[in-house]
Amino acid sequence: MQPVSIGLLGLGTVGAEVARLVEDRNGPFATRAGREVVLKKVAVRDRLKSRGLALPIDVLSTDPIAVAADPAVDIVVELMGGIEPARTAVLAALEAGKDVVTANKALLAEHGAELFAAARRSGRAVAFEGAVGGGIPIINTIGVGLAANRFKAMAAILNGTCNFILSSMARSGLSYAEALRQAQRLGYAEADPTLDVDGTDTAHKLAILAQLAFGASVTTSMIPKQGIDTLQSADIQYAAELGYTVKLLAVARDHGDAGLELRVAPRLVRKGSPLAEVSGPDNAIRTVGDPVGSTLISGQGAGAGPTASAVLGDLIDVIVGRAALTARSLALWPEAAPPPRLCSPKDVRGRAYLRFSIADRPGVLGSIAQVLGRHNVSIASVIQHDPGEDDQPDAPVPLVMMTHVASEADLDAALDAIDRLLVVSPPSVRLGVED
Amino acid sequence: MQPVSIGLLGLGTVGAEVARLVEDRNGPFATRAGREVVLKKVAVRDRLKSRGLALPIDVLSTDPIAVAADPAVDIVVELMGGIEPARTAVLAALEAGKDVVTANKALLAEHGAELFAAARRSGRAVAFEGAVGGGIPIINTIGVGLAANRFKAMAAILNGTCNFILSSMARSGLSYAEALRQAQRLGYAEADPTLDVDGTDTAHKLAILAQLAFGASVTTSMIPKQGIDTLQSADIQYAAELGYTVKLLAVARDHGDAGLELRVAPRLVRKGSPLAEVSGPDNAIRTVGDPVGSTLISGQGAGAGPTASAVLGDLIDVIVGRAALTARSLALWPEAAPPPRLCSPKDVRGRAYLRFSIADRPGVLGSIAQVLGRHNVSIASVIQHDPGEDDQPDAPVPLVMMTHVASEADLDAALDAIDRLLVVSPPSVRLGVED
């Protein structure tokens, strides 16, 4: 049997680990692939940079699009990240009749429809396990293992940087800024962490998972998102006092005729529940399906080893021929699919954590409670600590409430009205509870 | 395209749920299978029993072997359980050139080599996701999603009955007998729970998982097993005091040249760790692989819906053609494979929980500690409560210890010597700690 030739685009930490493991002829990858696999071409930015890999110099190229289109390459593995030139290279590979393995979540979330249309035209597969959840085989779990299910809901921790920062804030009482600096020092956050901490990365991944689980043509722009960059450590401490942990969650929930709920936001999760116990840089995905019920899968959501595990799993799938069958069976990003019907705030109901900054004088709690009541929001519990010795007569004091189940529309209206009260310093804080 | 004809063997709760979902022409099963699927024949014990299913009477048969061999049947789904006549029926199906989907863990654990040899001879696949972990797609996760990994260790909760009983004992302080009766009342334990509570069911499942993850020809008889039926509630309470939960774990660990460690036993798991938080009838599997690191998957380990999810997922795999490719790539239960090299107690090291019944008099703790020390077992912590008012002068009192890491061989020898001391009432209790 002819060896399979790989064209690898990108030789960063993940790319180098993939290259190393492909070259290991006695490892499980070689056994499971069942055929000899050779790195035919590797596209890099700098041909002279040493990577601790003994790659012949003529394997290296600085032109990813040429590598993708090279007739000597059978399968293209795209690990460059970003939109361009990754998009052009993947399209070139598909048009040249090659299967593609990619770990590029932004590319799929933004251009999935275009890529999958090109794949269908050429009868090829795009495998993307590494794009979501690092080493956690979530794409395979939802798309194959749980393929017979109608998914009803999903709640997931998909960004290791944010989960690490939130874990530090909860454990050590650090502020967001301090926890971010610590994460950067330890290599869990990039120098420019914007796309991680503002929820964009999580929204990219949710768009892909929602496409897979609900067959909905979701793009990132449809997903309301709130990051962790505006979270205050006080809210993490009050949540802990109430028995909750704050997690940046990607949530998708099918409300039937009312539509699909999608969101990325920091939410309260009850301590002791599986998602609450996912700490540090780990990721986890909880799905609810019919007939399987609730399932959770967790593990390392980033890093060279875990992501290489996902990429090589995809590569085995492509080589043994499974990926092509899966692509046909899943029919992802179908052409001319209508966008999903998104449900409106009045159809989404849940409990909420609220924190108000109020003037420390009689009657304030009463007037806030009155506004909430007028909007059908009832209060489950209240925390108001005696400010004690630090009491400055005119300083606003915090008032924390946990509500019973209410509609988002009612909560919107109530908060809006409360923030206009003279005794309240806006904006009030509101976090949803994931039950 | 011709419809696919299913021969279903067994119409218990899982079989009836599978039948119902196959008949749902608009559900995700139909969509993902991509072809019409019909229930051609259903083997039952009693043709006249009503099952709430509108099956034509000529579909029903009381002869599973005839159904398995029927030329009108394309795929056989075996949900009878037990060894015979399931084994003969599955072999008949494979010999007649049909793919088989089964959820029969005992059959695979005991006769996997024979079934897979027959499948290879006829070029057919045996898919068995439903055999381990109910709805949790663990076979697909280990065999496909994590296919590029070298597995190093696995620790799993694979029996929902035992986990339910242990959760009740821990939460409510019930004795084993009381917790078992409660589980039976609630439908979580069968009238004769022997194979669940003595660890046999867990050992069957571990044999299958070890075969898959380590490529080792493991049969149930190779696995040392201890059930929960001899557990005393005192040990669950002392474990809790030390910060641990007791779980019935299936453990497999690759010790390299020293061999493979396999065991089924109640073990201590630190509270707050993912396996410790799996409560009630749920199952969970934690694997450690290279390069992926640690991964956990959990969900409902039994019941009609979850098991049907697994069976239908397999059926989709068979229908779209993936199962045949997976069977070839995984090469399970290879012919003439040597049995695994099992490691000896001296190569297995870990911490242990010990409870002695000792005479309440001076010097006893000292002599026990001396024996432990002579066998290289050092003590990490000790619990001995003042027996207080209940003190009967001659009644033995409990002495609980947690050791540092020691070899199993040393612990064996130390316990043996301690149980021969005149001041100790044997047998002493020993439970391993899963770190």
Side-chain angles (χ1 to χ4, degrees):
Chain A
M1 221 185 235
Q2 282 275 93
V4 183
S5 294
I6 305 294
L8 177 60
L9 315 183
L11 202 59
T13 54
V14 177
E17 181 70 0
V18 166
R20 193 180 70 74
L21 290 163
V22 165
E23 298 283 300
D24 175 8
R25 300 277 177 253
N26 303 311
F29 170 73
T31 310
R32 295 276 166 93
R35 291 173 63 180
E36 197 187 339
V37 181
V38 294
L39 276 181
K40 196 77 180 181
K41 286 283 176 188
V42 180
V44 295
R45 229 174 283 169
D46 177 359
R47 284 179 74 177
L48 296 176
K49 195 170 145 193
S50 160
R51 290 167 185 87
L53 286 164
L55 291 171
I57 189 83
D58 64 334
V59 163
L60 298 179
S61 159
T62 53
D63 184 348
I65 294 155
V67 170
D70 191 327
V73 163
D74 301 315
I75 303 171
V76 170
V77 178
E78 186 275 304
L79 299 173
M80 288 182 289
I83 303 294
E84 286 295 353
R87 175 179 153 274
T88 307
V90 168
L91 287 171
L94 292 168
E95 275 154 29
K98 303 174 203 306
D99 292 307
V100 171
V101 173
T102 177
N104 192 328
K105 62 230 160 189
L107 181 62
L108 282 170
E110 296 307 327
H111 299 279
E114 182 185 20
L115 302 182
F116 278 79
R120 268 190 297 273
R121 275 198 304 277
S122 62
R124 294 289 110 194
V126 178
F128 53 97
E129 185 63 79
V132 185
I136 304 171
I138 184 60
I139 303 297
N140 179 53
T141 298
I142 295 179
V144 178
L146 300 177
N149 285 273
R150 178 173 281 120
F151 287 95
K152 297 195 280 192
M154 173 187 298
I157 295 168
L158 297 174
N159 186 282
T161 303
C162 290
N163 206 54
F164 182 88
I165 291 172
L166 292 175
S167 299
S168 305
M169 290 174 76
R171 204 183 44 243
S172 321
L174 298 182
S175 72
Y176 166 75
E178 289 162 344
L180 171 61
R181 273 196 299 276
Q182 186 197 57
Q184 285 171 323
R185 238 181 5 252
L186 296 170
Y188 291 117
E190 298 188 35
D192 176 1
T194 314
L195 296 181
D196 289 314
V197 299
D198 76 357
T200 303
D201 175 80
T202 300
H204 280 147
K205 292 165 176 169
L206 177 59
I208 297 170
L209 291 182
Q211 163 71 35
L212 191 64
F214 300 98
S217 297
V218 173
T219 55
T220 314
S221 61
M222 294 173 195
I223 303 175
K225 69 171 203 270
Q226 183 187 340
I228 63 164
D229 42 353
T230 54
L231 262 188
Q232 292 172 54
S233 97
D235 294 307
I236 289 176
Q237 308 308 325
Y238 284 120
E241 206 174 309
L242 291 160
Y244 292 84
T245 303
V246 179
K247 295 291 182 189
L248 183 69
L249 293 187
V251 175
R253 201 174 274 115
D254 184 359
H255 291 273
D257 288 341
L260 189 63
E261 173 190 352
L262 294 169
R263 71 168 89 216
V264 169
R267 286 170 77 77
L268 272 63
V269 187
R270 190 181 289 281
K271 283 185 191 175
S273 69
L275 283 177
E277 302 308 315
V278 175
S279 62
D282 277 7
N283 283 14
I285 300 99
R286 178 175 175 270
T287 57
V288 181
D290 179 26
V292 76
S294 174
T295 306
L296 178 100
I297 181 162
S298 63
Q300 292 180 45
T307 310
S309 163
V311 169
L312 292 171
D314 274 351
L315 210 40
I316 293 171
D317 254 20
V318 169
I319 291 169
V320 306
R322 252 185 333 233
L325 301 175
T326 304
R328 214 174 304 148
S329 161
L330 291 181
L332 289 168
W333 281 279
E335 250 134 320
R341 182 191 161 94
L342 300 177
C343 62
S344 83
K346 76 176 186 339
D347 296 313
V348 177
R349 297 173 60 78
R351 298 188 299 136
Y353 162 97
L354 307 173
R355 178 165 60 87
F356 307 104
S357 283
I358 60 170
D360 190 11
R361 73 171 88 127
V364 178
L365 194 147
S367 48
I368 287 176
Q370 235 173 12
V371 177
L372 289 170
R374 259 206 315 275
H375 290 90
N376 311 306
V377 178
S378 83
I379 300 166
S381 57
V382 177
I383 303 180
Q384 186 176 14
H385 291 304
D386 186 343
E389 307 220 337
D390 295 339
D391 197 6
Q392 293 170 299
D394 294 327
V397 296
L399 170 68
V400 170
M401 288 181 179
M402 182 67 91
T403 74
H404 283 297
V405 171
S407 89
E408 301 257 315
D410 283 337
L411 280 161
D412 287 342
L415 271 273
D416 207 51
I418 290 169
D419 274 358
R420 285 197 309 264
L421 295 175
L422 281 175
V423 290
V424 170
S425 313
S428 299
V429 172
R430 166 179 157 201
L431 298 170
V433 179
E434 188 66 24
D435 279 310
Chain B
M1 219 183 232
Q2 281 276 92
V4 183
S5 295
I6 304 295
L8 176 61
L9 314 184
L11 202 58
T13 53
V14 177
E17 182 70 359
V18 166
R20 193 181 70 73
L21 290 163
V22 165
E23 298 284 299
D24 174 7
R25 301 277 176 254
N26 302 312
F29 170 73
T31 311
R32 295 276 166 94
R35 289 173 64 178
E36 196 187 340
V37 180
V38 294
L39 277 180
K40 196 76 179 181
K41 285 282 176 188
V42 179
V44 294
R45 229 173 283 168
D46 177 359
R47 284 179 75 177
L48 297 177
K49 196 169 144 193
S50 160
R51 289 168 185 87
L53 285 164
L55 291 171
I57 190 82
D58 64 332
V59 164
L60 297 179
S61 158
T62 54
D63 185 347
I65 295 154
V67 170
D70 190 329
V73 163
D74 300 316
I75 304 170
V76 170
V77 177
E78 187 275 303
L79 299 174
M80 290 182 290
I83 304 295
E84 286 297 352
R87 175 180 152 274
T88 305
V90 167
L91 288 170
L94 292 169
E95 275 154 27
K98 304 175 204 304
D99 293 305
V100 171
V101 173
T102 177
N104 193 328
K105 62 231 162 189
L107 181 62
L108 283 170
E110 296 306 327
H111 299 278
E114 182 186 20
L115 301 183
F116 278 79
R120 268 190 297 273
R121 275 198 304 277
S122 61
R124 294 289 109 194
V126 178
F128 53 97
E129 184 64 79
V132 185
I136 304 171
I138 184 60
I139 304 298
N140 179 54
T141 298
I142 295 179
V144 178
L146 301 176
N149 285 272
R150 180 174 279 120
F151 287 95
K152 297 195 280 194
M154 172 187 299
I157 295 169
L158 298 175
N159 185 283
T161 303
C162 291
N163 206 54
F164 183 88
I165 291 172
L166 292 175
S167 299
S168 305
M169 289 175 76
R171 202 183 46 244
S172 321
L174 298 181
S175 71
Y176 166 74
E178 289 162 343
L180 170 60
R181 273 196 300 276
Q182 186 196 57
Q184 286 170 322
R185 235 177 10 247
L186 296 170
Y188 290 118
E190 298 188 36
D192 177 2
T194 315
L195 296 181
D196 289 314
V197 299
D198 76 356
T200 302
D201 175 80
T202 300
H204 280 147
K205 292 164 176 169
L206 178 59
I208 297 170
L209 291 182
Q211 162 73 32
L212 191 65
F214 300 99
S217 296
V218 173
T219 55
T220 314
S221 61
M222 293 173 194
I223 304 174
K225 71 172 202 272
Q226 184 187 340
I228 63 164
D229 42 352
T230 54
L231 262 190
Q232 292 171 54
S233 95
D235 295 307
I236 290 176
Q237 308 308 326
Y238 285 119
E241 206 172 309
L242 291 160
Y244 292 84
T245 303
V246 179
K247 294 291 182 188
L248 183 69
L249 292 187
V251 175
R253 201 174 275 114
D254 184 0
H255 291 272
D257 288 342
L260 189 61
E261 173 191 352
L262 293 169
R263 71 166 91 216
V264 170
R267 286 170 77 76
L268 273 62
V269 188
R270 190 181 289 281
K271 283 183 192 178
S273 70
L275 283 177
E277 302 307 317
V278 175
S279 63
D282 277 7
N283 283 15
I285 301 99
R286 179 175 174 270
T287 57
V288 181
D290 179 27
V292 75
S294 175
T295 306
L296 179 98
I297 181 163
S298 63
Q300 293 180 44
T307 310
S309 163
V311 169
L312 292 172
D314 274 351
L315 209 41
I316 294 169
D317 255 20
V318 169
I319 291 169
V320 306
R322 250 182 339 231
L325 300 174
T326 305
R328 214 173 304 148
S329 163
L330 291 180
L332 289 168
W333 281 279
E335 248 134 323
R341 183 191 160 94
L342 300 177
C343 63
S344 84
K346 76 177 183 345
D347 296 313
V348 178
R349 296 174 60 78
R351 298 187 299 135
Y353 161 97
L354 308 173
R355 177 165 60 86
F356 307 103
S357 282
I358 59 169
D360 190 11
R361 73 172 87 128
V364 178
L365 196 148
S367 47
I368 288 176
Q370 236 174 10
V371 178
L372 289 169
R374 259 206 315 275
H375 290 90
N376 311 306
V377 178
S378 82
I379 300 166
S381 57
V382 176
I383 302 180
Q384 187 176 12
H385 292 303
D386 185 343
E389 306 220 336
D390 296 337
D391 198 4
Q392 294 171 298
D394 294 328
V397 296
L399 170 68
V400 171
M401 288 179 176
M402 183 68 90
T403 75
H404 283 297
V405 172
S407 89
E408 300 257 316
D410 283 337
L411 279 162
D412 288 342
L415 272 272
D416 206 50
I418 289 169
D419 274 357
R420 284 197 308 265
L421 294 177
L422 281 175
V423 291
V424 170
S425 314
S428 299
V429 173
R430 166 179 159 201
L431 298 170
V433 178
E434 188 67 23
D435 279 310

